[in-house]
Amino acid sequence: MYYKESHTLILNNIARFIDLTELEKQKYLSLLTEIKVKKKAFLMQAGDVTKYEYFITKGCLKVYTLDEDGAPHISMFAVEDYWTGDIASFMMKKPTPYFIKATEHSELLGISRANYDLLFQEIPKFEKFYRILYQKSLISYIQRSNHGISLTAEERYIEFKSKYPQIVNRITQKDLAGYIGITPEFMSKIISKVNRM
């Protein structure tokens, strides 16, 4: 069976955790919506109710909140082969505190809440897939929170650079500073120092 590139990417992602028959693959793909987001456009803004669980097939997006002073605090960058969204807003149908903005022209596949529920009825093994996906997401969140407390800004940058080499050169220094939790000026000094090491 021939699949277009975006469909191959998501099916390969799923195949890491569950096996699907050809019929199940076809059914799953039929439940997805193709979404395009231009660079600097919002996929989602604070106050919206998250309508989809998103899988990125092309591009780069940043997920962030704003503090009282309007400064962004970036919680993650999502590139090809990543899932993103706000699971709490998606599941509870409540407004999200997050913004998701494209830093590059991006293409995604989304599954709506109605289709998500239908998917579990029609292909129950997807419950295992999403359980693993959410567990991995939770573990990543806990590790990031712990590292925010226990690591210096320089150590957080070095870890980010080694853990996400496919992302570090695709984001601005300002956005990287928003992720590390420091000013862009301090970020510049850290990058210079690390590059000299």
Side-chain angles (χ1 to χ4, degrees):
M1 180 79 193
Y2 170 78
Y3 294 106
K4 56 184 178 179
E5 196 175 333
S6 61
H7 288 172
T8 299
L9 191 62
I10 198 168
L11 290 174
N12 287 344
N13 183 282
I14 291 163
R16 291 177 204 150
F17 307 111
I18 59 172
D19 293 320
L20 298 176
T21 65
E22 279 304 315
L23 202 60
E24 288 169 336
K25 289 176 185 178
Q26 294 293 326
K27 179 63 186 174
Y28 177 67
L29 294 175
S30 76
L31 298 175
L32 302 176
T33 301
E34 293 186 0
I35 300 159
K36 293 187 178 186
V37 191
K38 291 183 178 172
K39 183 177 179 177
K40 296 187 180 178
F42 287 98
L43 174 66
M44 187 172 87
Q45 296 192 58
D48 292 348
V49 173
T50 307
K51 293 187 174 71
Y52 297 94
E53 275 278 89
Y54 301 100
F55 179 80
I56 295 90
T57 59
K58 180 182 176 184
C60 180
L61 302 101
K62 60 181 176 182
V63 182
Y64 65 97
T65 55
L66 295 176
D67 66 18
E68 293 172 0
D69 300 322
H73 295 271
I74 298 172
S75 54
M76 76 174 286
F77 296 98
V79 295
E80 297 85 4
D81 204 28
Y82 276 54
W83 293 84
T84 193
D86 177 358
I87 186 63
S89 174
F90 180 73
M91 298 303 286
M92 295 162 52
K93 299 180 182 176
K94 292 192 173 177
T96 180
Y98 295 100
F99 294 86
I100 301 182
K101 189 175 187 180
T103 60
E104 298 174 357
H105 173 74
S106 300
E107 296 176 8
L108 308 93
L109 294 171
I111 186 161
S112 69
R113 182 59 201 275
N115 283 350
Y116 177 88
D117 292 340
L118 183 63
L119 177 65
F120 287 173
Q121 289 172 23
E122 306 228 344
I123 315 173
K125 66 179 83 167
F126 266 97
E127 289 193 10
K128 178 185 177 185
F129 171 74
Y130 280 101
R131 177 175 50 79
I132 294 169
L133 189 67
Y134 298 150
Q135 284 173 345
K136 289 170 76 67
S137 178
L138 180 60
I139 290 165
S140 178
Y141 174 78
I142 291 168
Q143 287 175 338
R144 176 155 155 68
S145 296
N146 288 340
H147 290 171
I149 297 164
S150 62
L151 301 181
T152 66
E154 184 178 315
E155 288 168 336
R156 289 198 301 274
Y157 169 64
I158 291 168
E159 183 188 55
F160 180 85
K161 196 174 175 184
S162 74
K163 196 172 179 183
Y164 305 108
Q166 76 280 30
I167 298 177
V168 77
N169 294 321
R170 293 172 66 177
I171 57 176
T172 66
Q173 200 166 288
K174 184 179 178 185
D175 282 345
L176 185 53
Y179 179 84
I180 302 291
I182 56 177
T183 65
E185 293 75 25
F186 190 35
M187 187 77 253
S188 182
K189 288 177 183 173
I190 288 174
I191 291 170
S192 296
K193 181 182 175 186
V194 170
N195 288 344
R196 288 195 305 269
M197 290 165 79

